[in-house]
């Protein structure tokens, strides 16, 4: 993830918070987003297995 963070910084892609997303509301919704993603079956379409904790970590890294 560090390499991705560096790339986003260099090409000036804002974080969700910098883009105006309310970080408290987003953080409060992470558990539901991870559960909904798992229920949708979307994680089964990835190259490697993705757990709900993986999805929560990915979401936390966006804010």
């Amino acid at each position: 993830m560090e390499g991705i963070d560096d790339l986003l910084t260099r090409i000036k892609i804002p974080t969700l918070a910098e883009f105006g997303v309310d970080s408290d509301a987003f953080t409060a919704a992470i558990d539901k987003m991870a559960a909904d993603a798992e229920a949708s079956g979307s994680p089964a379409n990835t190259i490697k297995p993705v757990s709900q904790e993986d999805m929560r970590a990915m979401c936390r890294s966006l804010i």
Side-chain angles (χ1 to χ4, degrees):
M1 291 299 293
E2 185 176 315
I4 292 172
D5 289 337
D6 292 341
L7 175 63
L8 296 176
T9 299
R10 280 185 291 165
I11 61 174
K12 299 181 182 173
I13 301 293
T15 64
L16 291 178
E18 292 167 336
F19 196 66
V21 173
D22 181 292
S23 60
D24 290 334
F26 184 85
T27 300
I30 288 175
D31 287 337
K32 181 175 181 343
M33 290 188 291
D36 288 352
E38 184 175 60
S40 77
S42 294
N45 297 320
T46 63
I47 294 173
K48 71 171 214 156
V50 179
S51 69
Q52 276 197 30
E53 182 51 40
D54 293 330
M55 290 182 272
R56 285 190 290 271
M58 286 185 269
C59 288
R60 284 190 298 269
S61 75
L62 297 173
I63 199 73

